[in-house]
Amino acid sequence: MKVAVPREIEQGERRVALVPDTARMLVAAGLQVGVETRAGAAAFIDDDAYDKAGAKIASRAGELLRDADAVLKVQAPREPEISLLRKGAVLISFLQPATQADTVRSLASHGITAFSLELLPRISRAQSMDALSSQASAAGYKAVLMAADRIGKLFPMMMTAAGTVAPTRVLVMGAGVAGLQAIATARRLGAVVSAYDVRPAVKEEVESLGATFIELPLQSQEGEGGYAREQSEEFLQKQRELIGEHIAKSDVVITTAAVPGRRAPLLVTGDMVRGMRPGSIIVDLAAETGGNVELTQPGREIDVGGVTILGTRNVPSTMPLTTSQLYARNVANLLLHLVKNGAISLDFQDEITRGACVTHAGEIVNERAKQMVSAA
Ligand code: NAD
């Protein structure tokens, strides 16, 4: 069975879907691994390291993709890549079915069996394949460093002969995987941290990290599978009114709120930003799915009366060495889950296979993906 890893073509994507250690793991499982030359270059991994791990280096993606049984990618493939894939090949990557309806339709019409990491069921058995979590965790960590780098003050309280320095106050909105890692990182840097989430279940986790959980007098909201559900505009309006005073008191606000398959909820209005002290920093990790902050511009850093809003896209790609390593492990685990006796063997009775598979045998086979594609 041939596994292909092309170089990512999406602008700004520095991650690679397989690193030498995981290539070695697949080779040990009896698979033939092909990697496009310089596929790992932006993640500081040279061809030689893949070669030593037992992978074959191909000079062109075309050579690899045409006869691959399985293709591993980070970003959804683009049209030129899709048309190179063999009918019946398995593809594992982030596919963003909620916003990439055309890609999903094209994968179906080309007869590709595509797995979307966004749709992987979040059950304990699938934790080692959960790329959303591994990448979100890295993004939450980095968001704090980005804020610390730009803010004109120290994070920890410091008592010096020249006087006492007050600690930085960090507010984290959305205490899921990214938010919890942001809280832990900000605490390690010595900040005073508070956090808010619509799911009251996270209160204990937030407090165990040494942060204060902000409870708003609003009806608790939890959807399926531990996720938040989409809130009404009336709820969000009330939420913004109540959270406003906490935002005004913060030096750093990190927003990570998301609802699967939906636009990110609007948590911070322009007026709320203007109510913050000059020098404050907002990092909007939801920038790519619409932003939690009204004024966020995806991919840009903007100044609003002295308050900086960072709308950095693809934060995991800024730490490609670690995020590729984690991602590769997630992807290799999912691939090996689909392989029996050295060949792809799909069992659609299995919750992981059924849940993450988006297209198969010419059709969109996943109910969640069907809904996303028709809503897009
Ligand atoms: P996510 O990225 O979809 O959302 C991030 C956070 O934003 C969530 O905590 C959500 O409640 C919050 N949010 C949504 N709307 C909001 C609003 N209006 N105001 C404030 N906060 C809002 O979620 P995620 O981080 O990928 O995962 C969320 C949860 O899923 C985890 O904390 C965990 O409970 C569960 N999970 C389970 C597994 C597993 O069992 N394998 C793996 C990963 C996650």
Side-chain angles (χ1 to χ4, degrees), residues 95-145:
L95 285 178
Q96 296 174 23
T99 53
Q100 307 259 1
D102 289 346
T103 304
V104 172
R105 286 193 200 101
S106 171
L107 287 165
S109 70
H110 281 82
I112 309 302
T113 299
F115 288 84
S116 163
L117 290 160
E118 290 91 345
L119 295 184
L120 189 87
R122 295 184 109 176
I123 54 175
S124 357
R125 211 157 49 85
Q127 264 176 9
S128 67
M129 310 165 195
D130 186 353
L132 273 187
S133 287
S134 69
Q135 306 302 297
S137 194
Y141 160 84
K142 188 65 179 271
V144 174
L145 300 191

Side-chain angles (χ1 to χ4, degrees), residues 120-128 130 132-134 136-137 172-180 196-202 205 216 221-231 235-236 239 243 255-261 263-267 292:
L120 189 87
R122 295 184 109 176
I123 54 175
S124 357
R125 211 157 49 85
Q127 264 176 9
S128 67
D130 186 353
L132 273 187
S133 287
S134 69
S137 194
V172 176
M173 302 181 76
V177 180
L180 290 172
Y196 169 68
D197 197 292
V198 268
R199 294 180 301 121
V202 296
E205 283 174 275
L216 300 182
Q221 303 284 328
E222 181 131 2
E224 280 171 25
Y227 282 115
R229 63 179 154 90
E230 195 172 29
Q231 316 295 333
F235 177 98
L236 290 171
Q239 187 185 40
I243 202 78
T255 64
T256 77
V259 178
R263 187 205 180 280
L266 177 60
L267 306 182
N292 291 143

